Amino acid sequence: MPLPRDVQQVHYGTMDSVEPMQVDDPESGGAAPPSDFTVEPPNFDLEGYANGYEGLAKVRRLMFVAKHCPSLQLDALRRALRTIELTHNMALYTEVRRRLFQATGDAKYSLDQEECTTFILGTNKKAAITLERLDADLKNYRHNSIKESIRRGYDALGDHHLDCGDINNALKMYTRARDHCTSNKHVVQLCLNIIKVSVHLRNWQQVLNYYNKAEATMTVSPQPGIPAPAPTNTEVCCRLKCSAGLAELENRKYKNAARLFLQAQFDDCKCPDLLSPTRWPCMEHCVPWPPSTAKTSTPESLPAAAASKRCPPLALFLLRAICSSSPPPRPCFFSSFKQFLELDPQLRDVVMQFHQSSYTSCLRTLEEMRSSLMLDMYLSQHLHTLLTMIRNKALIQYFSPFSSVDLHRMAAAFNTTVPSLEDELTQLILDGQISARIDSNAKVMYARHVDQRSAVFQKVLEVGEAYQLRTKLISLQFLKQALLIRSLLQKYDIKVKDSKEQEETSDSNAPSEAVVKRSRPRF
Amino acid sequence: MEQMRSFTQGFTRDQVTQNPISFCNLFHQLTDVMCKRKQTIEGVVILRTAIRRYQTCPACLTAIHSDLLQVCLMAKCLKPALPFLEQEYSELLTDGGQFDARYVLLFYYYGGMVYACLHKYLRALLFLTVCLTTPTVAISAIMVAAYKKFVLVSLLKFGKVITLPKYCSHIVDRMMKPLCGSYNELAKTYAGRKVGPVHELIAKYSEVFQNDGNLGLVHRLRETVYRHAMQRLTQTFMTLSLADVSSRINLSSAQEAELYIRNMIEQEEVHASLDQTAGMVSFSESPEAYDSHDMATYLQSQLQRCMALEKKLRALDEQMALDPRYITKTMGGGFDDDPIFHEEGVM
């Protein structure tokens, strides 16, 4: 059964909406910037951005944009309103309307408007009618005990609930369909549905669980006798990868996320309810660059930028994945990624510049893009971390071929001042990512070559001392336990308040048998 | 007091073995009284004679040892305690029912405290670890206090909290986290080597530290954080201006930085040279080339020591393996299993 696209809605809990299903975002704060920020990105194409999504995803993202970007607020909210009107989700409808009213003060959007209330009532009634009908159908099917129809019935109910914005019930319905799945295709579909709902609920662990399940099912047996085998299969695959990638992103497992996103194919990436192609190649840089990438940069960079328009996380992660894999990634990744990159020329440029080690322009462009990237719901929390990682990567890569580097030139290359560069480099040195030392007097950084011989001697001495300490401890322990074991039988009858007693739990075996208890004796 | 003195000089071993419980209790009560009355100096002598006479052999740990240490600590007179601490104990005086494991714990805990006072941190850590690795199923307040001191002393010595050995009871790990929250936090902040946050944290929890009686150690920590921060600088910089040093380590001025560095150079904690005209300090790698005769002899002596320890450990292991109780336990009463039986050589 094809997944109904227009009905899918995406609930994201970061908003301050009054959605009852809202799940608090557990990851605001911490290393990420606070969730209440405002950005004013220049040249943000709201229309293009919004058109990339559908359904609830669109609404949610528009609301996110509205929340964080005052200049685009009205436009975003209006679009959101238009989208919601097509669904049965009245709770969200009232919310958007209220926001619009607050923002504009225009009585047209007030909730007391008669037309508004009639519309809401009408839609609610329609939704109720549909629900009744579906329920009745389901009862009928259950009565007839036809598994396939029961499953379809549950699915339809789930979809309807999703449309109304009732995510929890949707999840319940989808889960109930599980018992009636008869073929692998059904299982996969079930997994997809549940993943969809879990993404809305931001329950990433569940997403990952069902992703694994779907993967297992799909590899166990090839899909036999499907009407349209190849496209559907790859589309499903792609969908799965995207969702899993998103989940990993939210779990801050950037490398895994990148890898997963890379595995999504461009042509089949039609999941506008989940992700949309926007500029994500940023992520690519976060992936640790294998040393050999310098030469393989061109083929890698192109794929990396590919995901830009269609799948925001995709591109970024793709690049990240590319960078992370030490053997050069297989060509199949590249071709797909290339197409993603083509969608956003800015990102593509960034990627290419990074590969060509022209860090100045690369980082500058990234900074310019930062504000528009912040408007993406999923990425905004991680953006700071990711960009820092990209920058660190660039720093490390910059320094790698040299034995000494003039800090002034390096600072110029990285658009920063020498003291702040020194701080950044100090941090990297202490983390062990750069092996160097800084001559603060002459502002030069020298690569450090560790003298293996003295390092070995030092280690030997340390190990020797540690060994002696440990052995002394063990022999003392041994002694102590051997002695403590010799407790006396009279002890068993003695009740000593608040004092410890030694007891022989059994005939002495290893010293660990002896116990020291605080309470009354056991016997 | 007079009576106690005469008693300790007069009692004989036989008298004591008749009623060891009250004998030891007597000394415990004596310690309490002395601590309350602050007449601890005299008590030191009394307890020392008592121990000497009560011990069957010098390598014998009694319940009174912890009393002696307690009294010494109260009297702030640590020298008399040292010979008892240096002693390698191989016996526990457990006749009668008078021996309580508490006193063993106390002995090692106080021992750790004594060494910490004397700045002998490595030995203090040894004692405190012994205290913490006592087999237990319940948490003792002594162990909690020992853990707190353990954290502080290991921060002082190593700049990080060293891990407790694996044979430490798992209860220790589980319980210490909630009970010693402020100490763990301090350890974490200290690992960051930033002077500012460490000082803030110390100020924040100063009451807690005071209640635990750890304020002295914590104050020492305040000083050592500068040293550790400085050592961190040596890893990343080759030369640094003194003003930079003082700003990075939150010292008040370049002169103070210079003073610190000079002290550290003298104590050989850093390898550096000061350039006063330029106001620079240049850090260098350790000049130790490990190729001198002294180094060779040192290595040799360490090797010998390690081998001796290993031999001792092996002897202990053998001793335990031959213990009939152990054998019966491992055998599980499997007398029918002939090959094993013969291998053990047990009749």
Side-chain angles (χ1 to χ4, degrees):
Chain A
M1 178 161 126
L3 299 164
R5 286 183 324 161
D6 50 328
V7 157
Q8 283 144 19
Q9 299 172 340
V10 176
H11 277 293
Y12 299 122
T14 43
M15 324 299 268
D16 54 347
S17 78
V18 292
E19 279 290 323
M21 324 302 166
Q22 172 176 318
V23 173
D24 277 334
D25 177 25
E27 295 197 329
S28 54
S35 48
D36 52 342
F37 56 89
T38 45
V39 285
E40 295 287 351
N43 315 322
F44 185 72
D45 179 16
L46 186 66
E47 183 165 342
Y49 177 72
N51 286 344
Y53 299 93
E54 280 183 355
L56 192 55
K58 187 169 171 181
V59 173
R60 284 287 176 180
R61 282 178 182 262
L62 285 170
M63 285 173 81
F64 187 84
V65 170
K67 183 176 174 194
H68 294 287
C69 180
S71 60
L72 294 171
Q73 192 179 27
L74 291 175
D75 198 11
L77 284 172
R78 273 195 219 111
R79 285 174 196 275
L81 197 66
R82 256 176 281 156
T83 322
I84 294 191
E85 276 170 6
L86 302 170
T87 72
H88 293 106
N89 192 348
M90 283 304 109
L92 208 52
Y93 178 77
T94 34
E95 170 64 23
V96 173
R97 239 194 130 95
R98 185 177 61 82
R99 286 251 196 104
L100 210 48
F101 181 51
Q102 270 175 354
T104 54
D106 192 345
K108 182 169 65 155
Y109 295 113
S110 147
L111 289 167
D112 304 324
Q113 282 278 318
E114 212 186 289
E115 60 170 26
C116 166
T117 37
T118 38
F119 175 71
I120 293 179
L121 282 173
T123 328
N124 279 341
K125 220 188 290 180
K126 257 191 274 171
I129 293 175
T130 327
L131 188 64
E132 256 185 64
R133 179 175 57 83
L134 288 172
D135 257 337
D137 282 344
L138 184 68
K139 261 196 217 104
N140 209 2
Y141 295 144
R142 289 212 348 225
H143 185 69
N144 293 341
S145 298
I146 311 171
K147 270 207 155 181
E148 178 59 21
S149 347
I150 299 177
R151 192 185 66 82
R152 279 215 211 110
Y154 273 123
D155 269 355
L157 258 175
D159 293 336
H160 177 76
H161 278 297
L162 209 50
D163 183 41
C164 296
D166 189 357
I167 306 280
N168 285 342
N169 272 335
L171 184 63
K172 246 188 268 173
M173 292 296 137
Y174 285 132
T175 332
R176 287 214 199 123
R178 179 200 251 169
D179 302 325
H180 307 281
C181 289
T182 43
S183 82
N184 281 341
K185 183 159 164 267
H186 296 158
V187 174
V188 170
Q189 182 138 346
L190 165 87
C191 292
L192 280 173
N193 284 337
I194 298 190
I195 287 177
K196 186 174 53 185
V197 177
S198 309
V199 166
H200 299 345
L201 283 173
R202 305 209 111 189
N203 187 348
W204 307 115
Q205 194 49 48
Q206 205 167 17
V207 172
L208 284 172
N209 288 344
Y210 278 97
Y211 164 73
N212 287 332
K213 194 173 165 146
E215 281 285 301
T217 324
M218 285 176 69
T219 48
V220 157
S221 60
Q223 313 265 328
I226 313 171
T232 319
N233 201 0
T234 41
E235 187 176 324
V236 159
C237 253
C238 172
R239 224 197 157 76
L240 284 172
K241 302 276 182 220
C242 286
S243 343
L246 199 58
E248 293 280 17
L249 165 65
E250 291 291 334
N251 286 339
R252 294 181 191 274
K253 302 253 171 43
Y254 299 122
K255 225 193 221 178
N256 289 346
R259 206 173 298 131
L260 284 164
F261 278 118
L262 263 179
Q263 290 166 5
Q265 304 290 320
F266 176 70
D267 297 322
D268 305 310
C269 192
K270 294 185 189 64
C271 39
D273 54 308
L274 192 61
L275 303 165
S276 154
T278 48
R279 318 120 295 197
W280 284 126
C282 288
M283 305 282 232
E284 67 202 32
H285 300 302
C286 302
V287 180
W289 227 246
S292 58
T293 37
K295 301 195 186 81
T296 52
S297 55
T298 330
E300 286 169 335
S301 56
L302 297 175
S308 51
K309 267 294 181 290
R310 288 276 162 248
C311 282
L314 262 180
L316 279 165
F317 292 114
L318 285 175
L319 287 179
R320 289 200 59 189
I322 289 177
C323 309
S324 63
S325 51
S326 354
R330 290 172 293 175
C332 66
F333 287 166
F334 296 142
S335 50
S336 167
F337 204 51
K338 203 186 297 197
Q339 291 161 318
F340 281 125
L341 271 180
E342 291 299 328
L343 294 168
D344 190 344
Q346 211 177 12
L347 260 182
R348 188 197 58 205
D349 290 336
V350 162
V351 177
M352 291 190 62
Q353 282 162 358
F354 190 92
H355 282 286
Q356 289 157 6
S357 300
S358 41
Y359 300 110
T360 329
S361 37
C362 169
L363 289 172
R364 201 181 305 137
T365 327
L366 271 178
E367 276 306 309
E368 284 165 19
M369 291 172 56
R370 181 194 273 257
S371 50
S372 28
L373 283 174
M374 286 288 258
L375 284 179
D376 182 275
M377 258 173 53
Y378 291 121
L379 199 59
S380 57
Q381 287 144 6
H382 307 274
L383 196 61
H384 184 73
T385 326
L386 287 170
L387 288 180
T388 323
M389 285 169 80
I390 295 177
R391 200 185 160 79
N392 286 345
K393 198 89 203 86
L395 281 169
I396 298 171
Q397 189 136 339
Y398 183 92
F399 182 65
S400 53
F402 300 113
S403 63
S404 67
V405 163
D406 180 11
L407 288 182
H408 294 290
R409 289 174 72 167
M410 197 165 169
F414 283 91
N415 302 330
T416 176
T417 58
V418 176
S420 51
L421 181 69
E422 253 186 32
D423 288 333
E424 276 182 63
L425 288 173
T426 318
Q427 196 50 49
L428 283 175
I429 293 175
L430 286 169
D431 287 339
Q433 297 189 10
I434 296 185
S435 167
R437 290 175 73 192
I438 303 178
D439 183 345
S440 190
N441 196 7
K443 297 291 178 211
V444 177
M445 185 158 76
Y446 293 98
R448 180 195 215 175
H449 303 288
V450 179
D451 182 12
Q452 292 290 348
R453 186 174 164 275
S454 40
V456 165
F457 269 105
Q458 213 166 0
K459 193 91 206 284
V460 159
L461 288 174
E462 274 170 39
V463 166
E465 282 186 23
Y467 174 76
Q468 287 184 43
L469 190 67
R470 241 187 6 250
T471 323
K472 280 204 196 114
L473 263 177
I474 292 181
S475 51
L476 268 174
Q477 178 82 342
F478 215 111
L479 221 60
K480 206 171 28 142
Q481 312 221 18
L483 298 172
L484 287 175
I485 282 165
R486 272 192 247 131
S487 66
L488 308 170
L489 284 168
Q490 296 117 327
K491 271 263 179 196
Y492 296 161
D493 296 339
I494 298 173
K495 280 196 180 185
V496 185
K497 288 204 195 86
D498 274 343
S499 71
K500 285 196 290 204
E501 296 160 16
Q502 314 148 139
E503 265 189 48
E504 216 172 305
T505 52
S506 58
D507 281 345
S508 63
N509 179 11
S512 51
E513 288 285 307
V515 290
V516 178
K517 278 213 212 126
R518 194 182 200 167
S519 51
R520 285 167 284 133
R522 285 182 358 192
F523 298 82
Chain B
M1 272 305 143
E2 281 303 317
Q3 294 171 326
M4 281 307 303
R5 212 170 287 144
S6 55
F7 172 67
T8 50
Q9 282 165 354
F11 73 80
T12 65
R13 188 95 189 100
D14 299 328
Q15 289 172 331
V16 168
T17 39
Q18 296 299 319
N19 202 353
I21 302 177
S22 45
F23 177 74
C24 288
N25 278 341
L26 175 66
F27 279 102
H28 297 325
Q29 282 171 7
L30 176 67
T31 328
D32 290 332
V33 162
M34 278 195 289
C35 292
K36 282 207 193 83
R37 283 210 221 139
K38 313 250 191 265
Q39 286 173 329
T40 38
I41 307 268
E42 307 150 357
V44 172
V45 181
I46 298 181
L47 281 171
R48 213 163 47 159
T49 18
I51 294 179
R52 283 267 146 73
R53 305 203 51 204
Y54 183 40
Q55 279 178 330
T56 46
C57 67
C60 188
L61 186 64
T62 70
I64 318 182
H65 278 81
S66 56
D67 288 328
L68 174 65
L69 287 180
Q70 189 179 359
V71 162
C72 283
L73 277 169
M74 290 279 319
K76 305 223 197 310
C77 165
L78 302 171
K79 271 252 198 72
L82 279 181
F84 291 101
L85 288 174
E86 303 283 330
Q87 178 75 46
E88 304 254 345
Y89 289 102
S90 53
E91 262 189 61
L92 262 181
L93 209 56
T94 60
D95 41 15
Q98 36 78 328
F99 201 88
D100 202 347
R102 189 173 75 175
Y103 296 110
V104 176
L105 281 181
L106 274 178
F107 173 72
Y108 282 107
Y109 173 63
Y110 289 138
M113 278 173 75
V114 167
Y115 277 119
C117 290
L118 295 172
H119 289 266
K120 293 217 179 88
Y121 295 131
L122 212 52
R123 201 129 168 99
L125 279 174
L126 180 74
F127 271 65
L128 288 171
T129 324
V130 169
C131 181
L132 285 172
T133 52
T134 316
T136 172
V137 289
I139 288 294
S140 141
I142 304 176
M143 289 175 82
V144 173
Y147 183 77
K148 292 180 182 166
K149 291 217 165 43
F150 175 80
V151 166
L152 288 175
V153 172
S154 98
L155 281 180
L156 276 171
K157 172 83 181 155
F158 295 114
K160 61 179 167 99
V161 181
I162 54 181
T163 46
L164 287 169
K166 272 188 287 202
Y167 46 82
C168 195
S169 166
H170 54 274
I171 299 211
V172 173
D173 286 324
R174 232 190 303 151
M175 291 299 179
M176 289 313 174
K177 301 292 167 8
L179 287 172
C180 311
S182 46
Y183 290 86
N184 289 331
E185 221 183 295
L186 184 62
K188 240 186 283 185
T189 336
Y190 198 89
R193 298 276 192 276
K194 291 244 179 350
V195 177
V198 172
H199 282 205
E200 277 171 26
L201 209 65
I202 292 180
K204 191 166 116 184
Y205 288 123
S206 54
E207 242 190 71
V208 175
F209 295 142
Q210 186 141 25
N211 290 343
D212 291 329
N214 287 332
L215 210 53
L217 282 174
V218 167
H219 274 304
R220 274 198 220 161
L221 212 62
R222 277 173 121 239
E223 299 302 315
T224 39
V225 73
Y226 289 117
R227 286 168 200 272
H228 283 126
M230 190 81 72
Q231 277 170 347
R232 209 161 190 238
L233 281 183
T234 61
Q235 285 172 8
T236 54
F237 287 97
M238 282 176 67
T239 60
L240 202 55
S241 73
L242 287 170
D244 262 338
V245 171
S246 60
S247 66
R248 278 175 198 273
I249 309 189
N250 275 28
L251 289 169
S252 51
S253 72
Q255 279 86 12
E256 210 181 321
E258 195 185 319
L259 206 65
Y260 260 101
I261 295 179
R262 229 177 328 159
N263 284 340
M264 287 176 79
I265 296 177
E266 276 167 28
Q267 290 166 7
E268 291 188 20
E269 290 177 17
V270 253
H271 302 279
S273 51
L274 285 166
D275 183 352
Q276 246 183 355
T277 44
M280 283 280 161
V281 56
S282 10
F283 300 113
S284 48
E285 303 271 358
S286 160
E288 178 64 63
Y290 299 103
D291 55 2
S292 64
H293 180 68
D294 295 333
M295 181 52 66
T297 25
Y298 177 65
L299 272 175
Q300 186 78 4
S301 64
Q302 291 284 67
L303 276 169
Q304 302 281 22
R305 234 184 287 173
C306 287
M307 292 202 291
L309 278 174
E310 205 250 340
K311 237 182 260 176
K312 202 160 73 159
L313 201 60
R314 211 184 280 263
L316 280 174
D317 186 43
E318 220 178 281
Q319 190 187 29
M320 189 179 80
L322 292 174
D323 192 311
R325 287 171 291 182
Y326 173 70
I327 292 175
T328 44
K329 182 78 181 189
T330 45
M331 297 277 284
F335 275 74
D336 43 349
D337 228 359
D338 276 342
I340 302 176
F341 201 70
H342 284 306
E343 266 172 39
E344 287 289 354
V346 172
M347 301 315 289

